[in-house]
Amino acid sequence: MAEAHQAVAFQFTITPEGIDLQLSYQALNQIYLSGVRSWKKRVSRLRNRVIKGVYPASPSSWLFVVIAILATMYMRSDPSMGLITKIQQHLPLSLSAEGQTMLSVLVFSTLLWLSLILALRFCLKLLLSYHQWMFEQHGRVSNTTKVWVTLLRLLSSRKPLLYSYQTSLPILPVPAIKETLSRYLESVRPLLTDPGYKRMTELANQFESNLGNRLQRYLKLKALWATNYVSDWWEEYIYLRSRGPIMVNSNYYGMDFLYVTPTALQAARAGNTITALLLYRRKVNREELKPSRVPGTVIPLCAAQCERMFNTTRTPGVETDVLQHWQDSEFVAVYHKGRFFRLWVYTAGRLLSPREIEHQIQRILDDPSPPQPGEEKLGALTAGDRVPWSQMRKQYFSSGINKRSLDSIERAAFFVTLDDEEQGMRGEDPAGNLDRYAKSILHGKCYDRWFDKSFSIVIYKNGKSGLNAEHSWADAPTVAHLWEFTLATDAFQLGYSEDGHCKGEVDRSLPLPQRLVWDIPSEVQAQVCSSLAVAQALADDVDCHVFPFRDFGKGRIKKLKISPDAFIQISLQLAYYRDRGGFCLTYEASMTRLFREGRTETVRSCSNESCAFVKALEDGEEAEQCRHLFRLASERHQNLYRMAMTGAGIDRHLFCLYVVSKYLGVDSPFLKEVLSEPWRLSTSQTPVQQMELFDLKNYPDFISLGGGFGPVADDGYGVSYIIVGEDMINFHVSSKYSCSQTDSHRFGAQISKAFQDVMTLLSADTKTSSSSKGTAQPQPKKLL
C-alpha cells in the first residue's frame, strides 16, 4: 500500500509552459505519518537503551548525585578528595571560575554515578549467580537464602524493562569434566548390561585422561570470550546445519482452546489474532513486557530469544541455513487456496483495527482469482530437504519478480494461512478429530505453510486457530508466552460482537491486499513436486494422538507433597516399560535461561531410582516399599532438574566437547558413541506462564490444549504435556507408523493407566498415614 502511494505521490510533465507538478496530498500525508511513526520508534528505542543501560539505577538518580555533590561543596567539604580540583585544572581557561567549578562537579558526579551503576550491576550479577536456594527443601529456607532474597528484592525494586536484566545475568559455567563424566555414567547405568557398563566406563576414563582435558581447555577459553559457550553452536549444529526437512523433524505446534471457539467466522478470528500478535510485537519493541521469572520468585530469566520473534526467517543454504531478522515490517504474508498475498496492517502510521483487518482478510477469502502456474504448492520447498530449496532459491529467486515476492514473505512480520478445512474437537468423533487437528497444524498439506518463518498462524474455516513455529531461533516457552497472550487478548480483551464479527470501525477506502506475482519455471515446478513427495511421505508417517487427562491434576498431586513434573516423568517411565518391556534413554527439556542467552539442557529422566520403582511395582513388591522407592525417584528427578537448570547438566557440555574435537580434527570413540545414542522417549512440558490472563473460575471452558512436536527417533515417542489448572493435564503423543513397535494411541492409554496406578499407590499411603495417626494419638485434646 505504501509503495503504491509513493508511486503516485509525485507526478510531473514537461509542457511548453514549463513543468506541470502534481502532488497527491493524501499520499504525502500517509508518508509523513509513517515517518513520524518511524521516528517515534527510534526515540523510544533510544530512551529504552538509556533506561536499561543504567539499570538497576534510574536516569533520574544522576540528578540526585549531582545535587548531593553540590550540597557537600556548598558546605565547604570536598567529597572527591581533590579530584574535582584536578578536573578543574584541565578545563579551558576561558570559562569563569564558577563555570569551571560547576563543570568539574558535573564531570565528577557523572563519573561517580557511572561507577555506582557498575557496582550495583556487579552486585546484582553476584546475587543472580547464587543458585543454592533451588536445592533447599520446601519450608526450610536457610538464613543465607533469606538475606539473598532481601538483597535481590532491594536491587530489583525498580520496574524493569524486558531486557533490563540481560547484562546482569551470569555466564553459563563450564562444568568440570570429571563431574560430567561421572553423571553421564550414572545416567546410563540402568540402560546397560554389566559388560556394557564396564566398557563405557573404560571409554570415559580413557577420554578423561587423554583427549578430554585438552578439549576442556579450549571450551573454557571460549567461555571466557563468548556470552554463552553453548548457544551459538547449539543453534548452528543442531538446527541450522540440519539438511533434512524441518517440517515435523524440527518445527513444533501450538493449539487453540480445547472446548470453545470465540467466533465461527474465519475472517473475524484472523482479524483478532493478527491484531493480538501485533500488539504483542509492539510490547516487545517498546520493551513493555515484564521480564519472565522463575515461577513464584523474583529471579529473572534471559529474554534474548524475544529479539527474533517477529520479522524473522530461516533462509536455506547448501551447508547451513541462516537466520535473517529485520528491524520491523508493516505487513504480514497471507496464503489462501494456492495464492500468496501481502497484507499491510498499518495505514497512515497507525495499526489497522481488528475490524479493518477482518475486512481485508474477507477480501482475500472472496477473491476468485486462481493460483498462478506453480504458485499453489510453492511452500513445499520449505517442507522438503534444505539443499534443493537452497539451490532453487539462489538460481530462480534472487532477482526479478520472484525475489520481490519472496522478500514479501520473508520480511513479513509473520505468516498467515487461511485454511479451507475445519478442525477442532467436534462432531461424532471428537477424539479422532483432535488427532487430525494436531497433524494439520504440525504439517498441514505440506505446501500451505511457510515452515521457514519464525512462526506461522493457521486460521481454519470454522474459526479454529493454531500456530506452527520454527525451532532454531527460540524454544517453546518463548513461543508459548506469545501464544498465551494472543489467545487471551483475542478472547477476553478484543472480543467479538454478537454476530461474531470483530469490534471497531472500517475504513472502506483501504486498498486491496496485494497479490504476489511469480514466474515459476518448469525446473522449479519439478523441484516443488520432488520436495512435496519427500514432505508428504514424512507427514503420512506421523502418528499424532492428543488427549486431555481429566481424572486428576496437579492439585491432587501436590497434596501428596510430590512435584507434578516428577510424578508425570516417573509415570512416563512406567508407561514406556509396559509398552516396550524395558527402559530407554529419556530426554526431558529443561531451560538454562537463568544464564545469559541460555536455551535448554537435558534432564535424563530415566534414572536408577525411577527404574527401581518401576521394577518393584511391576514385580508386585509390597506397596510400602514401592512408595518408598517412588519418593526416592521423585527426589532424584527434582535434583536432576535443578542441576540442569543451574548449569550442571551433562549433554550440552559433551556436545560442545564434541564440536571442539571436530574443529581440532581429532576423533573420540567415547564422544562419538554418546552423541549417537537415540532418545527413544523425548518429553517436554509446556508451562503456563500467564495464568493471570485466564479466568478459569468464571470461564472454565477456555482451557489451552498446549502444543506438541514430532518424534525424535524413528522407533520412539515424542511426548509433550501441559498442566492446566488444578484438575487437568493435556498430552500430545507422536510416533511413526513405519515402526511396528510404536503406537501413539496405545502409549497414550499406557500413560493414563500408569497415572491411575501410581496415584492409587500413593493415595493408599495417605489413607494409611491418616488412620495410623488416629490410632497412635487416641487423646488428641491433651496435645492442644
Side-chain angles (χ1 to χ4, degrees):
M1 178 183 66
E3 292 171 350
H5 279 300
Q6 290 177 28
V8 298
F10 302 94
Q11 293 182 358
F12 68 92
T13 56
I14 300 176
T15 65
E17 290 78 17
I19 298 177
D20 181 17
L21 178 65
Q22 296 181 357
L23 299 177
S24 171
Y25 291 102
Q26 181 183 3
L28 288 175
N29 183 55
Q30 292 206 8
I31 294 171
Y32 166 74
L33 292 174
S34 295
V36 169
R37 174 177 173 266
S38 177
W39 276 102
K40 283 183 178 179
K41 284 163 55 176
R42 293 180 186 180
V43 172
S44 175
R45 290 192 186 106
L46 179 61
R47 170 182 167 273
N48 288 341
R49 285 196 189 104
V50 173
I51 293 175
K52 68 187 179 187
V54 302
Y55 193 85
S58 65
S60 60
S61 60
W62 173 82
L63 185 61
F64 174 81
V65 173
V66 172
I67 293 174
I69 297 298
L70 287 173
T72 54
M73 294 290 291
Y74 179 77
M75 297 172 63
R76 305 295 181 182
S77 176
D78 185 6
S80 69
M81 294 180 291
L83 286 176
I84 292 178
T85 303
K86 288 186 177 181
I87 294 173
Q88 192 171 353
Q89 292 173 356
H90 292 82
L91 295 178
L93 297 176
S94 58
L95 292 174
S96 63
E98 293 80 2
Q100 287 183 336
T101 302
M102 180 60 69
L103 185 57
S104 60
V105 167
L106 289 176
V107 172
F108 173 76
S109 300
T110 302
L111 293 175
L112 177 62
W113 179 64
L114 292 174
S115 301
L116 290 173
I117 289 173
L118 291 175
L120 288 173
R121 187 175 293 174
F122 178 75
C123 292
L124 182 57
K125 192 169 188 175
L126 285 179
L127 290 172
L128 293 177
S129 301
Y130 174 78
H131 298 131
Q132 191 57 40
W133 62 273
M134 198 176 294
F135 295 89
E136 294 179 351
Q137 293 184 7
H138 184 69
R140 296 183 181 180
V141 181
S142 66
N143 292 330
T144 302
T145 300
K146 290 178 181 178
V147 173
W148 168 76
V149 170
T150 302
L151 293 174
L152 188 58
R153 288 185 184 278
L154 286 174
L155 283 179
S156 304
S157 57
R158 280 192 61 242
K159 184 180 179 181
L161 298 176
L162 177 60
Y163 303 119
S164 290
Y165 288 107
Q166 289 303 102
T167 54
S168 299
L169 291 172
I171 304 299
L172 182 68
V174 180
I177 193 167
K178 187 178 186 65
E179 294 176 0
T180 297
L181 295 177
S182 175
R183 287 193 287 267
Y184 168 77
L185 291 173
E186 186 177 6
S187 72
V188 297
R189 183 65 190 94
L191 307 175
L192 300 175
T193 61
D194 290 342
Y197 180 73
K198 182 180 179 182
R199 185 185 67 84
M200 185 57 72
T201 302
E202 291 173 352
L203 283 176
N205 292 335
Q206 291 173 6
F207 172 73
E208 181 185 359
S209 59
N210 297 323
L211 182 60
N213 289 322
R214 180 187 172 195
L215 302 180
Q216 180 81 345
R217 286 193 292 270
Y218 280 97
L219 206 55
K220 286 185 175 180
L221 182 62
K222 186 194 176 186
L224 290 174
W225 177 257
T227 309
N228 189 297
Y229 82 93
V230 175
S231 294
D232 57 340
W233 285 350
W234 185 254
E235 179 178 296
E236 179 178 359
Y237 292 106
I238 297 301
Y239 296 116
L240 297 180
R241 281 186 179 263
S242 173
R243 300 295 80 202
I246 61 175
M247 183 198 78
V248 175
N249 293 329
S250 178
N251 286 29
Y252 53 95
Y253 66 88
M255 301 179 80
D256 198 0
F257 295 117
L258 175 60
Y259 298 118
V260 298
T261 305
T263 179
L265 300 179
Q266 186 177 19
R269 190 72 195 279
N272 266 9
T273 299
I274 292 172
T275 301
L277 289 166
L278 293 171
L279 291 176
Y280 190 91
R281 184 178 72 165
R282 178 186 293 174
K283 286 180 174 290
V284 171
N285 290 342
R286 296 178 178 178
E287 301 186 33
E288 294 174 348
L289 285 178
K290 296 179 181 178
S292 297
R293 302 180 186 272
V294 176
T297 73
V298 295
I299 302 155
L301 301 175
C302 179
Q305 295 179 29
C306 296
E307 296 173 356
R308 299 181 293 183
M309 185 176 293
F310 296 91
N311 329 312
T312 299
T313 295
R314 173 175 175 166
T315 58
V318 176
E319 293 184 357
T320 181
D321 293 353
V322 176
L323 279 173
Q324 288 189 293
H325 172 73
W326 290 269
Q327 193 65 41
D328 199 9
S329 61
E330 299 188 348
F331 57 88
V332 297
V334 181
Y335 177 91
H336 176 245
K337 288 189 175 180
R339 294 96 40 87
F340 291 88
F341 295 82
R342 176 166 56 179
L343 173 61
W344 293 90
V345 291
Y346 283 86
T347 180
R350 70 169 179 87
L351 176 65
L352 298 182
S353 70
R355 187 70 180 86
E356 288 174 327
I357 296 178
E358 177 191 351
H359 175 69
Q360 295 294 79
I361 292 292
Q362 191 61 52
R363 284 176 157 183
I364 293 175
L365 294 173
D366 295 338
D367 187 334
S369 60
Q372 300 162 66
E375 180 185 17
E376 180 181 9
K377 300 179 180 180
L378 190 63
L381 291 172
T382 68
D385 292 325
R386 305 303 291 174
V387 174
W389 171 210
S390 171
Q391 294 168 342
M392 292 295 105
R393 189 179 188 276
K394 183 178 180 180
Q395 187 172 356
Y396 298 102
F397 295 87
S398 58
S399 62
I401 59 174
N402 285 347
K403 183 181 187 304
R404 290 194 292 272
S405 295
L406 183 61
D407 282 348
S408 296
I409 295 175
E410 294 185 337
R411 293 172 181 262
F414 48 88
F415 192 83
V416 180
T417 294
L418 302 175
D419 205 302
D420 54 1
E421 295 180 349
E422 295 186 359
Q423 295 292 349
M425 191 175 69
R426 58 192 175 78
E428 298 180 357
D429 183 21
N433 285 330
L434 206 55
D435 297 343
R436 287 183 279 274
Y437 176 28
K439 278 181 66 67
S440 177
I441 307 177
L442 181 62
H443 54 69
K445 298 174 183 175
C446 302
Y447 60 80
D448 54 351
R449 318 278 188 260
W450 200 266
F451 294 100
D452 286 356
K453 285 299 290 182
S454 55
F455 66 89
S456 300
I457 300 301
V458 184
I459 308 295
Y460 292 98
K461 190 176 181 180
N462 60 339
K464 214 67 182 172
S465 69
L467 173 144
N468 183 287
E470 200 275 317
H471 208 326
S472 64
W473 65 275
D475 300 309
T478 301
V479 178
H481 194 278
L482 162 73
W483 194 231
E484 287 173 7
F485 177 91
T486 302
L487 291 177
T489 303
D490 168 26
F492 304 121
Q493 301 298 322
L494 299 175
Y496 299 89
S497 61
E498 292 183 359
D499 55 359
H501 290 283
C502 296
K503 298 178 181 178
E505 302 298 326
V506 179
D507 180 2
R508 301 286 178 179
S509 65
L510 291 172
L512 289 169
Q514 297 174 337
R515 273 291 303 271
L516 300 185
V517 182
W518 307 91
D519 180 15
I520 311 297
S522 58
E523 294 85 355
V524 175
Q525 294 185 36
Q527 182 55 56
V528 167
C529 293
S530 177
S531 295
L532 180 59
V534 172
Q536 194 66 59
L538 179 60
D540 292 343
D541 196 22
V542 177
D543 177 18
C544 289
H545 180 43
V546 181
F547 66 97
F549 182 83
R550 303 184 183 90
D551 293 351
F552 58 85
K554 72 173 183 181
R556 189 171 170 188
I557 297 172
K558 293 177 81 171
K559 286 181 180 178
L560 300 173
K561 297 182 179 180
I562 295 171
S563 160
D565 187 68
F567 181 95
I568 294 171
Q569 286 292 330
I570 298 171
S571 298
L572 288 175
Q573 292 298 315
L574 176 59
Y576 187 88
Y577 185 84
R578 289 172 172 176
D579 184 76
R580 299 291 294 273
F583 300 104
C584 71
L585 198 61
T586 305
Y587 182 109
E588 181 187 5
S590 166
M591 67 173 182
T592 56
R593 290 169 62 201
L594 290 171
F595 303 94
R596 191 171 179 182
E597 295 184 12
R599 293 204 54 166
T600 61
E601 178 57 275
T602 305
V603 181
R604 294 181 167 233
S605 301
C606 182
S607 63
N608 290 311
E609 290 79 4
S610 65
C611 292
F613 162 73
V614 170
K615 288 180 179 179
L617 186 65
E618 292 301 279
D619 291 345
E621 293 191 17
E622 292 184 3
E624 186 62 33
Q625 176 66 8
C626 291
R627 286 191 285 266
H628 173 69
L629 291 174
F630 182 89
R631 298 281 178 180
L632 292 177
S634 175
E635 292 173 6
R636 177 60 177 164
H637 179 268
Q638 287 182 271
N639 192 55
L640 289 172
Y641 202 99
R642 292 162 182 156
M643 291 175 71
M645 284 185 64
T646 54
I650 300 169
D651 291 274
R652 300 302 177 268
H653 185 200
L654 294 178
F655 161 75
C656 288
L657 290 172
Y658 180 76
V659 174
V660 174
S661 73
K662 288 302 178 183
Y663 276 124
L664 295 179
V666 294
D667 287 328
S668 167
F670 171 74
L671 289 177
K672 186 176 182 180
E673 185 162 343
V674 170
L675 271 295
S676 63
E677 292 171 343
W679 301 96
R680 291 192 173 89
L681 183 56
S682 181
T683 70
S684 178
Q685 179 184 172
T686 304
V688 179
Q689 304 167 72
Q690 305 168 90
M691 279 303 298
E692 69 276 5
L693 298 179
F694 301 91
D695 185 1
L696 295 182
K697 289 186 178 180
N698 296 321
Y699 301 96
D701 290 340
F702 286 81
I703 292 174
S704 172
L705 262 172
F709 52 89
V712 174
D714 291 338
D715 58 346
Y717 293 107
V719 180
S720 176
Y721 52 93
I722 178 172
I723 301 173
V724 184
E726 298 293 312
D727 303 309
M728 178 182 284
I729 304 172
N730 292 328
F731 284 92
H732 300 250
V733 182
S734 64
S735 61
K736 291 192 175 182
Y737 289 115
S738 57
C739 178
S740 60
Q741 296 177 305
T742 58
D743 184 305
S744 296
H745 291 74
R746 185 185 69 212
F747 191 57
Q750 292 286 15
I751 292 173
S752 298
K753 180 67 166 55
F755 263 51
Q756 293 286 7
D757 291 348
V758 173
M759 178 55 72
T760 301
L761 174 73
L762 299 178
S763 298
D765 181 33
T766 305
K767 294 177 182 177
T768 303
S769 300
S770 301
S771 60
S772 63
K773 286 180 181 178
T775 306
Q777 299 173 5
Q779 296 176 331
K781 293 183 179 180
K782 293 183 180 180
L783 301 176
L784 299 178

